[in-house]
């Protein structure tokens, strides 16, 4: 089954009577399908009789104030009929922010999780102003954020670190921006002061060919021809709603998926796709969690667990008892703890009080039964191995090449601190993404794979962005093609090729505004991405010349 | 209280940290991924704020709320009620839209219910509902000295002879009617064609407007006209200028009557407003053959993917194919359009005998 626009209401969702009630010649659906900015304009231009004005005045005020909040958080391009599932996490969060600002409550502590996610730098300022206005009416606003501009706008900064996982959890620095910068061991401070920077690559790679899409016209795309260079790292940029995802995911990815895997996804409208001979695999690396169950963990996901279990099953102790590899999985009946069934914790229901989770008494939280734990490799049992961090495990398995090589890749993507058995539910989006990338890196390179990433820097600290760029560069070095949709300037400047969409969001977007190397785009006066790039490329180029 | 004092936070990887955050300020918590930022902001600060609020509720009320564990922290002082604006806990229901979440749509609905001008969905003409007083006002306003004709449209564009209706009018003492735009005396014999659509308007009264003195008569005549037609009256002047009046929301042309115009009419999540076809989802399901048919294979090779490997369905298919002379050995894409249609949509209720254990008859799929 597939869905199609309802033939009766044409997507308006309402019965014809409701759609025949008009204000200034427009039905409620006509209005709801406009962007917030357009609705604001429409409401402003309403011609009302004095009687109508008296009736509608308060309603109009409410509508206008809410629309204004929506535009202030940079969502003026959103149509009112956009459904909740079609919104990105960042958009959804900013909508909630807009409603909060509208509530005008005071004395509240607001806690926000990375509100600038997915915002073009152009819209950042407006969002920060919204946060400040929330503060100014008497609220405490606590923001978890990596964005430099937001950090600089803060009244008070807390830098948690210094590393991740077990190496983190301390307050490294606190105070104003100056206090943070002064702290020698604060990574954030290092990036803020400019002592640490992500270097601009000295050379841009040359493409090995091109994939061409002709006549792309899905959503707001304006019948455009785009060619994506192969064998290089391409970044697709543009303000929110300019058509980046429509072009890269809906059109390019789905069209290739259909061709290569006979996928049944709906492909964005386009006339012709050519030049894809050099591609035999297309992978979309998303930031979705690697698993929503605590039974999934980095070891199971990356496939390291299988050779580890095989290894344990081959040990003499296991052989004597006839243990198969399955015995060493906490998901299989033979090996797991019979009380907690391999969960490690037991849920005690307290009826009208919250349920309480207690560590399993039988296994002490290690998930296995005692017979299984008797089998030891180099003095460690399977539970102890799962409790190792990636770097500890890499040392422990240094003589087992096929396990070691996978662990090395996890270290390379900067995940040396996670524990092999850490439940997938406790991994952050950035960590999940890098685990997925590590799985790609450990595959044998065909050099013909196209990787697509939609805003991979979401939720990443400066230093995590640096690690991510390293991984992407390595994937490209292996001969693959990488296409990234991104707002982050550090990623944009590190790309070999940029495709800038725009000029605005929604109906005013859907064109390719500029393309070429970062330097070429920076030179383009019509591109807003270009003007941000100019600022960031210029001093560094001068700097590097100065050093030579 | 000028600040929020946190003492001994140990949630997740936090290392027993103590710090104080200024209140009424913009505070940014930063650090590398996995360093414990969220553990501090959400799992400690927000969780404690929310938990304290929950604690203030009765035990009975608390059973309906999700469990909130006490965060692992010694103490937090100066915490005010907290609201979390994160990216995960968000409505993922396709019935939620930007408009409904922000409540803009709710206000728009109110605006449309109060100020919207209803139009007939079929004829496109504006429909107005008025009180009798307002109608009288409008009729009187047609001008001094004008003669106004008040009609009651009793039949609107429907087929029939309407003999009985005309007889009834005659008996009640009415004098004239207008049939399909032509005024006729009820005294004469009126024959109308049965197979054609007709519009019959009863001439209720002819009034010469003179100052304000005739309002009583206008009111009576309008009331009568509205009653006879079920809510619509047509008023015309001698010069042909006219207007249609209605005390309900009904189309003057086709008589389509409007439901009450209330905010719920504009809600796609209410049965009063939603499109009857898609129940307000804006999209409908349809069966896309591409999803279950492999065009490269023949019927014999299992072109119908979910049926391949089943002898039961293969039997049915063979029977049907034999009945309609469909070649089971050519790839599906090469079959004639008609054969494809029979396979996908069926042939429409024709019974085909299916030989089987029970010799039962099956319909073509």
């Amino acid at each position: 089954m597939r869905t199609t626009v309802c033939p009766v209401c044409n997507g308006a969702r309402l019965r014809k009577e409701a759609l025949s009630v008009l204000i200034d010649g427009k039905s409620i659906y006509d209005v709801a399908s406009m962007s917030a900015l357009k609705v604001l304009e429409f409401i402003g231009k309403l011609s009302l009789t004095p009687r109508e004005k008296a009736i509608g005045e308060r309603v109009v005020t409410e509508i206008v104030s809410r629309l204004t909040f929506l535009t202030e958080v940079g969502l003026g391009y959103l149509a009112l009929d956009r459904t909740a599932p079609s919104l990105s996490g960042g958009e959804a969060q900013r909508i909630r922010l807009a409603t909060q600002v509208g509530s005008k409550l005071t004395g509240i502590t607001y806690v926000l999780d990375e509100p600038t996610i997915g915002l073009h730098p152009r819209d950042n300022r407006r969002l920060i102003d919204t946060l400040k206005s929330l503060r100014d009416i008497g609220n405490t606003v606590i923001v978890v954020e990596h964005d430099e501009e937001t950090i600089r706008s803060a009244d008070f900064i807390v830098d948690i670190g210094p590393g991740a996982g077990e190496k983190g959890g301390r307050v490294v620095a606190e105070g104003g921006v100056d206090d943070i910068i002064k702290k020698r061991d604060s990574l954030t401070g290092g990036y803020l002061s400019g002592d640490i920077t992500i270097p601009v690559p000295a050379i841009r790679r040359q493409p090995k060919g091109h994939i061409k899409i002709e006549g792309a016209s899905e959503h707001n795309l304006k019948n455009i021809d785009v060619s994506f260079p192969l064998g290089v790292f391409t970044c697709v940029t543009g303000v929110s709603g300019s058509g980046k995802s429509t072009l890269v995911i809906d059109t390019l990815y789905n069209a290739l998926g259909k061709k290569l895997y006979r996928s049944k996804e709906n492909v964005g409208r386009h006339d012709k796709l050519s030049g894809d001979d050099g591609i035999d695999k297309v992978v979309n690396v998303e930031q979705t969690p690697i698993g929503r169950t605590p039974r999934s963990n980095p070891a199971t996901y990356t496939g390291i667990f299988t050779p580890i279990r095989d290894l344990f099953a081959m040990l003499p102790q296991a052989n004597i008892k006839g243990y198969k590899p399955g015995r060493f999985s906490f998901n299989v009946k033979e090996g797991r703890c019979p009380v907690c069934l391999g969960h490690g914790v037991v849920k005690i229901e307290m009826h009208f009080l919250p349920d309480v989770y207690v560590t399993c008494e039988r296994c002490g939280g290690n998930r296995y039964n005692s017979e299984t734990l008797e089998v030891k490799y180099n003095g460690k049992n399977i539970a102890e191995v799962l409790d190792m961090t990636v770097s500890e495990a890499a040392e422990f398995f240094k003589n087992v090449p096929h396990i070691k090589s996978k662990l090395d890749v996890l270290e390379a993507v900067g995940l040396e601190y996670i524990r092999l058995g850490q439940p997938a539910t406790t991994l952050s989006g950035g960590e999940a993404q890098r685990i997925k990338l590590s799985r790609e890196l450990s595959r044998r390179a065909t050099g013909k794979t196209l990787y697509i990433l939609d805003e991979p820097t979401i939720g990443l600290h400066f230093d995590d962005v640096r690690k991510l760029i390293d991984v992407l560069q390595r994937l490209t070095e292996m001969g693959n093609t990488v296409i990234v949709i991104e707002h982050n300037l550090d990623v944009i400047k590190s790309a070999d090729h940029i495709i800038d969409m725009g000029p605005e969001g929604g109906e005013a977007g859907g064109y390719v505004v500029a393309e070429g190397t970062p330097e070429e785009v920076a030179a383009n006066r019509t591109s807003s991405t270009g003007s941000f790039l100019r600022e960031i490329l210029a001093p560094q180029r001068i700097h590097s010349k100065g050093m030579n | 209280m000028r600040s929020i004092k946190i003492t001994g936070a140990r949630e997740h990887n936090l290392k027993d940290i103590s710090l104080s955050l200024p209140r009424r300020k913009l505070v940014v918590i930063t650090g590398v991924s996995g360093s414990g930022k969220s553990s501090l902001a959400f799992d400690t600060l927000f969780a404690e704020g929310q938990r304290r609020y929950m604690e203030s509720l009765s035990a009975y009320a608390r059973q309906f709320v999700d469990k909130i564990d006490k965060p692992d922290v010694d103490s937090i002082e100066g915490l005010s009620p907290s609201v979390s604006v994160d990216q995960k806990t968000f409505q993922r229901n396709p019935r939620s839209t930007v408009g409904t979440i922000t409540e803009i749509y709710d206000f728009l609905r109110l605006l449309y219910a109060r100020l919207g001008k209803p139009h007939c969905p079929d004829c496109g003409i504006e429909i107005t509902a008025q009180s009798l007083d307002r109608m009288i006002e409008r009729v009187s306003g047609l001008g001094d000295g004008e003669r106004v004709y008040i009609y009651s449209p009793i039949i609107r564009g429907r087929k029939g002879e309407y003999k009985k209706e005309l007889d009834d009018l005659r008996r009640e003492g009415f004098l004239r009617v207008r049939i399909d735009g032509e005024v006729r005396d009820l005294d004469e014999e009126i024959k109308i064609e049965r197979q054609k659509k007709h519009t019959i308007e009863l001439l209720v009264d002819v009034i010469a407007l003179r100052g304000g003195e005739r309002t009583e008569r206008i009111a009576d005549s309008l009331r009568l006209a509205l009653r006879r037609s079920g809510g619509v009256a047509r008023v015309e002047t001698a010069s042909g200028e006219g207007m249609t009046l209605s005390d309900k929301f009904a189309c003057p042309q086709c008589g389509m009557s409007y439901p009450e115009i209330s905010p719920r009419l504009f809600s796609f999540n209410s049965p009063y407003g939603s499109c009857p076809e898609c129940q307000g989802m804006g999209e409908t399901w349809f069966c896309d053959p591409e999803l279950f048919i492999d065009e490269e294979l023949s019927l014999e090779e299992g072109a119908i993917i979910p049926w391949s490997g089943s002898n039961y369905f293969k039997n049915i298919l063979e029977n049907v194919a034999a009945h309609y002379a469909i070649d089971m050995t050519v790839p599906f894409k090469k079959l004639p359009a008609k054969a494809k249609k029979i396979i996908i949509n069926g042939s429409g209720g024709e019974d085909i005998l299916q030989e089987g254990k029970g010799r039962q008859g099956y319909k073509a799929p």
Side-chain angles (χ1 to χ4, degrees), chain A residues 196-210:
Chain A
I196 315 174
T197 50
I198 296 172
V200 178
I203 13 163
R204 310 284 182 190
R205 293 183 195 87
Q206 287 303 311
K208 294 188 294 190
H210 288 88

Side-chain angles (χ1 to χ4, degrees), chain B residues 242-281:
Chain B
M243 59 186 165
T244 305
L245 304 169
S246 169
D247 64 348
K248 297 197 186 93
F249 283 111
C251 173
Q253 192 157 311
C254 63
M256 201 240 35
S257 79
Y258 240 90
E260 183 200 356
I261 300 187
S262 59
R264 70 179 177 184
L265 176 66
F266 302 98
S267 166
F268 44 79
N269 294 328
S270 149
Y272 294 97
S274 61
C275 163
E277 176 72 18
C278 60
Q279 270 95 45
M281 295 303 292

Side-chain angles (χ1 to χ4, degrees), chain A residues 1-9 11 13-18 20-23 26-28 31-32 48 52 55-56 59-60 62-63 66-67 70 78-85 87 89-90 92-93 95-97 99-100 107-114 117 135 138-146 150-151 153-160 162-166 168-171 174 187-188 258 262 264 352-355 357 417 428 431 434 461 463-464, chain B residues 4 13-15 17-38 40-42 45-46 59 62-63 67-69 79-105 107-112 114-122 256 258-259 261 265-269 271-278 280-288 290-291 294 296:
Chain A
M1 300 291 272
R2 223 164 228 187
T3 54
T4 176
V5 170
C6 172
V8 175
C9 62
R13 298 173 157 228
L14 292 169
R15 61 192 323 130
K16 58 182 184 177
E17 288 87 346
S20 306
V21 178
L22 311 179
I23 291 181
K26 288 204 188 309
S27 76
I28 193 163
V31 175
L48 298 177
E52 289 172 327
I55 298 171
V59 184
V60 168
E62 287 290 339
I63 296 176
R66 273 155 218 264
L67 286 169
L70 213 51
L78 276 185
L80 297 183
D81 69 343
R82 275 283 293 276
T83 60
L87 298 170
Q93 187 192 29
I95 287 179
R96 290 185 50 195
L97 190 61
T99 43
Q100 285 300 336
I108 301 284
T109 303
Y110 285 103
V111 188
L112 291 98
D113 192 8
E114 298 173 50
I117 278 176
R135 171 198 67 190
N139 296 299
T140 309
V141 183
I142 298 177
V143 189
V144 174
E145 187 56 272
H146 306 290
T150 317
I151 295 175
S153 311
D155 302 313
F156 191 83
I157 302 163
V158 180
D159 188 19
I160 306 277
E166 289 310 308
R170 290 175 211 285
V171 177
E174 55 186 317
L187 266 179
T188 310
K258 193 168 189 170
R262 291 179 164 199
K264 310 280 190 194
F352 53 80
L353 290 173
D355 292 339
Y357 288 89
Y417 60 90
S428 73
E431 287 168 339
R434 274 183 281 156
H461 184 261
D463 205 49
D464 295 322
Chain B
I4 303 172
N13 64 346
L14 295 181
K15 301 280 165 23
I17 55 175
S18 302
L19 72 160
S20 69
L21 303 173
R23 277 167 58 89
R24 302 196 161 204
K25 294 285 183 223
L26 178 56
V27 179
V28 169
I29 301 178
T30 187
V32 295
S33 187
S35 64
K37 307 178 299 290
S38 298
L40 179 62
F42 285 93
L45 271 173
F46 171 67
R62 264 179 279 159
Q63 69 175 314
K67 56 174 196 296
I68 299 160
D69 288 333
L79 188 61
S80 52
S82 23
V83 172
S84 138
V85 189
D86 63 9
Q87 306 191 353
K88 287 168 201 152
T89 51
F90 187 68
Q91 268 290 339
R92 286 283 166 212
N93 184 334
R95 286 195 180 270
S96 276
T97 65
V98 172
T100 61
I101 300 163
T102 55
E103 292 170 12
I104 293 174
Y105 194 74
F107 285 103
L108 272 180
R109 289 196 292 140
L110 191 60
L111 191 71
Y112 266 84
R114 299 287 172 262
L115 299 186
K117 299 194 172 65
H119 288 63
C120 175
D122 301 318
M256 201 240 35
Y258 240 90
I261 300 187
L265 176 66
F266 302 98
S267 166
F268 44 79
N269 294 328
Y272 294 97
S274 61
C275 163
E277 176 72 18
C278 60
M281 295 303 292
E283 46 186 33
T284 48
W285 291 93
F286 79 104
C287 212
D288 188 346
E290 197 193 314
L291 295 175
D294 190 334
E296 304 297 323

Side-chain angles (χ1 to χ4, degrees), chain B residues 14 18-19 21 28 32 39 43 45 93 144 155 164 175 183 194 226 241 246 300:
Chain B
L14 295 181
S18 302
L19 72 160
L21 303 173
V28 169
V32 295
S39 300
D43 303 331
L45 271 173
N93 184 334
D144 245 13
I155 307 291
K164 188 177 163 285
L175 297 174
V183 180
R194 191 172 170 177
L226 292 170
E241 193 187 334
S246 169
E300 207 172 62

Side-chain angles (χ1 to χ4, degrees), chain B residues 40-323:
Chain B
L40 179 62
F42 285 93
D43 303 331
T44 306
L45 271 173
F46 171 67
E48 179 65 10
Q50 204 184 24
R51 194 187 64 86
R52 284 191 196 170
Y53 170 68
M54 293 298 172
E55 295 272 281
S56 70
L57 301 176
S58 68
Y60 176 75
R62 264 179 279 159
Q63 69 175 314
F64 301 112
V65 205
D66 281 347
K67 56 174 196 296
I68 299 160
D69 288 333
K70 187 180 176 349
D72 193 359
V73 59
D74 291 339
S75 76
I76 302 180
E77 288 168 41
L79 188 61
S80 52
S82 23
V83 172
S84 138
V85 189
D86 63 9
Q87 306 191 353
K88 287 168 201 152
T89 51
F90 187 68
Q91 268 290 339
R92 286 283 166 212
N93 184 334
R95 286 195 180 270
S96 276
T97 65
V98 172
T100 61
I101 300 163
T102 55
E103 292 170 12
I104 293 174
Y105 194 74
D106 302 321
F107 285 103
L108 272 180
R109 289 196 292 140
L110 191 60
L111 191 71
Y112 266 84
R114 299 287 172 262
L115 299 186
K117 299 194 172 65
H119 288 63
C120 175
D122 301 318
C123 322
I125 354 173
E126 189 175 335
I127 299 170
T128 46
Q130 293 151 353
S131 64
L132 195 64
D133 286 347
R134 177 93 181 96
M135 290 186 206
I136 296 169
E137 217 174 278
R138 284 187 65 186
V139 174
S140 319
L142 281 174
D144 245 13
E146 279 277 9
R147 278 170 80 83
V148 294
Y149 297 77
I150 298 178
Y151 294 98
S152 171
I154 49 176
I155 307 291
R156 278 176 294 243
R158 286 175 49 193
K159 285 180 190 169
E161 284 187 292
Y162 299 110
K163 249 190 152 133
K164 188 177 163 285
E165 283 80 357
L166 292 172
D167 281 346
D168 283 350
L169 294 177
R170 225 169 262 143
R171 207 172 320 119
E172 285 175 59
F174 288 105
L175 297 174
R176 271 177 286 175
V177 289
R178 184 162 68 171
I179 298 173
D180 298 333
E182 188 188 332
V183 180
R184 310 274 289 266
D185 268 337
L186 274 166
D187 293 343
E188 9 170 326
E189 198 187 335
I190 299 169
K191 268 200 116 156
I192 47 181
E193 264 184 82
R194 191 172 170 177
Q195 291 304 324
K196 279 196 176 151
K197 285 185 179 174
H198 303 287
T199 299
I200 303 178
E201 291 157 303
L202 170 67
L203 180 59
V204 176
D205 202 357
V206 182
I207 309 170
L209 296 176
R210 260 182 280 122
E213 60 195 80
R214 286 303 180 83
T215 50
E216 199 55 38
R217 183 162 161 198
I218 297 174
D220 284 344
S221 303
L222 279 176
R223 222 173 270 137
L224 180 63
L226 292 170
R227 201 177 64 231
R228 300 248 25 148
S229 64
V232 185
R234 173 95 192 143
V235 179
E236 283 175 21
T237 63
S239 52
E241 193 187 334
M243 59 186 165
T244 305
L245 304 169
S246 169
D247 64 348
K248 297 197 186 93
F249 283 111
C251 173
Q253 192 157 311
C254 63
M256 201 240 35
S257 79
Y258 240 90
E260 183 200 356
I261 300 187
S262 59
R264 70 179 177 184
L265 176 66
F266 302 98
S267 166
F268 44 79
N269 294 328
S270 149
Y272 294 97
S274 61
C275 163
E277 176 72 18
C278 60
Q279 270 95 45
M281 295 303 292
E283 46 186 33
T284 48
W285 291 93
F286 79 104
C287 212
D288 188 346
E290 197 193 314
L291 295 175
F292 62 89
I293 284 185
D294 190 334
E295 296 244 307
E296 304 297 323
L297 299 178
S298 70
L299 287 173
E300 207 172 62
E301 291 162 327
I304 302 175
I305 300 162
W307 282 11
S308 63
S310 157
N311 277 328
Y312 172 76
F313 288 118
K314 199 168 177 194
N315 270 330
I316 294 181
L317 208 51
E318 276 168 1
N319 230 327
V320 172
H323 186 87

